[in-house]
Amino acid sequence: MTDKPRVLLVHPPIYDFSAYDFWMKPYGLLRVAGRLRGLCQLQSFDFLCSDAADAPPGGTWKRDAWKRDAWGRGPIPAEGTAKPEIFSFLPRYYRRFGIPRESFRAWLEGRPAFDFALVQTGMTYWYLGLVETIEEIRRRSRETRIVLGGCYASLCPEHARSLGADLVVRGGELDPLWRLLEREALPEQRPFWEAYAAPAYGVMKLADGCPFRCSYCASGRMHPGYAARPLDSVLEEWERLRSMGAAHIAFYDDALLFQPEKVLIPFLNAVLARGTGGLRFHTPNALHARLLTAELASLMVRAGFASFYLGAESISPEWLETSGAKVFPEELSKATEILKNTGVPGSSITAYLLLGHPAHSPEMIESSMRYIHRLGIRIMLAEYSPVPGTADGERYGPAVAWQEPLWHNKTAFTAKILGWGEVCRLKHLCQQLNQPE
Ligand code: SF4
């Protein structure tokens, strides 16, 4: 090994029925890589992005194949692929999303072999993309040590180990990684945004974890506690993204509005003092509507928040009672009123509703949709996926699910619970309600 080991960072392709670049970046991987800056020779390959600094040749790589909406999001080029047998009941095409496998192969062959490959994992049921990635890295060099980290690696470590990686990192337990690399990592640093030449958007977190424990959510399994990040670190990240020309930043925080006087307010005041530079903020991980105040909403709008996603999940009292009572309907209604009074149009406010949760009946879903529609905001149906180790995952996950993570697939699980015809009916109703009047 040279003085500075060659380390490859990979954001793998996705195998699923659908996938969309809804502000999707391998943020955990970029944060880990930031701590290795200067200690290793870092190069990255992001299968799901057209902005990478080190472009692979040809195929769907070409920038014009990747369309973006006004907020930087867009579809990911895909090709049909064989549907796993367990999904045979579902009348949907199964696809592989991302830069073609051959492009990755050619890219690897055009470079000296890497000493290490750090691979970000996402949803547990996306592991077929890891199988492909590991095969290609091994094909190039059997000496490369492969490390898996992220959601799948943390939630299904035993299964992840069966894929043949050299190390599986769980959550934020990074000491085994530093030992494998034989490097004393730096304390938290700016994420490795050098991986992207001109990102249409960036992502950030002001804090890790969430103080709440909703029965269906994986946040507590990924981060056992809640910890705000130092203000100077997050401001440096924001400055870096702004200087790279990113027009949008999506917050990956699970609890962006928690303890605002210590976290969000100081950050936004600093942003306003330095000048927003026209950068727009988004909240895809959902805001906790109960914690939104008029003062906070006003500050957020002045600092450039352009979209507000609210975590509603359901308005059914019965369902809320058993799931952690995150937000009651009147709190959702109040948050909506606050946002609208601050000048945010209803079309920029979206409430998430859970679809396919076994205790959330079609009647509950439909009445929740109609309630949100009456608030004059948009509805987004979020298909439920049973997450190992969560209260609901253990309660409702089929016994086989923990051996075969493909069973966690949100499209398949939702169709199993509701029936495909009912899923289509509810999605169609959602589309109709979201039509501008
Ligand atoms: S659903 Fe939201 S509020 Fe509930 S535990 Fe998860 S991140 Fe926290």
Side-chain angles (χ1 to χ4, degrees), residues 75-287:
I76 304 167
E79 59 206 344
T81 190
K83 186 160 67 173
E85 181 59 27
I86 65 166
F87 298 142
S88 57
F89 70 96
L90 194 58
R92 292 280 313 265
Y93 288 113
Y94 200 64
R95 289 184 289 171
R96 178 196 176 282
F97 294 84
I99 292 170
R101 181 172 185 154
E102 302 71 41
S103 296
F104 183 46
R105 186 175 294 175
W107 186 90
L108 283 175
E109 282 169 359
R111 287 160 177 74
F114 287 91
D115 300 307
F116 298 95
L118 311 187
V119 184
Q120 170 98 33
T121 70
M123 307 306 281
T124 55
Y125 49 87
W126 286 350
Y127 75 84
L128 295 179
L130 303 174
V131 172
E132 176 192 310
T133 301
I134 291 171
E135 281 173 4
E136 288 302 322
I137 294 169
R138 292 270 186 253
R139 186 179 189 278
R140 173 65 185 83
S141 166
R142 302 214 64 82
E143 306 304 316
T144 302
R145 316 283 290 278
I146 300 176
V147 181
L148 304 182
C151 290
Y152 160 74
S154 301
L155 297 172
C156 301
E158 292 308 322
H159 193 274
R161 277 184 205 108
S162 75
L163 301 191
D166 296 284
L167 177 66
V168 172
V169 173
R170 297 181 66 170
E173 295 166 15
L174 295 172
D175 286 345
L177 172 63
W178 310 143
R179 281 199 293 275
L180 182 74
L181 294 170
E182 297 177 14
R183 292 293 175 283
E184 188 103 354
L186 303 165
E188 176 146 5
Q189 301 287 309
R190 179 167 38 80
F192 189 68
W193 283 108
E194 296 92 313
Y196 301 94
Y201 64 84
V203 300
M204 280 184 70
K205 264 177 141 186
L206 302 188
D208 290 312
C210 176
F212 306 104
R213 286 291 172 268
C214 301
S215 61
Y216 46 87
C217 177
S219 176
R221 294 232 37 220
M222 295 301 300
H223 302 281
Y226 170 87
R229 302 177 59 214
L231 179 61
D232 52 355
S233 298
V234 291
L235 281 171
E236 196 189 341
E237 271 184 62
W238 168 76
E239 288 275 19
R240 170 71 186 180
L241 289 167
R242 194 173 67 152
S243 71
M244 290 178 82
H248 301 270
I249 290 180
F251 284 103
Y252 274 11
D253 290 71
D254 289 331
L256 188 64
L257 302 187
F258 185 64
Q259 297 184 336
E261 66 292 344
K262 291 189 187 154
V263 186
L264 184 58
I265 292 174
F267 172 74
L268 295 184
N269 281 335
V271 164
L272 284 167
R274 295 177 189 202
T276 66
L279 240 166
R280 315 308 304 273
F281 291 125
H282 303 273
T283 60
N285 273 13
L287 299 172

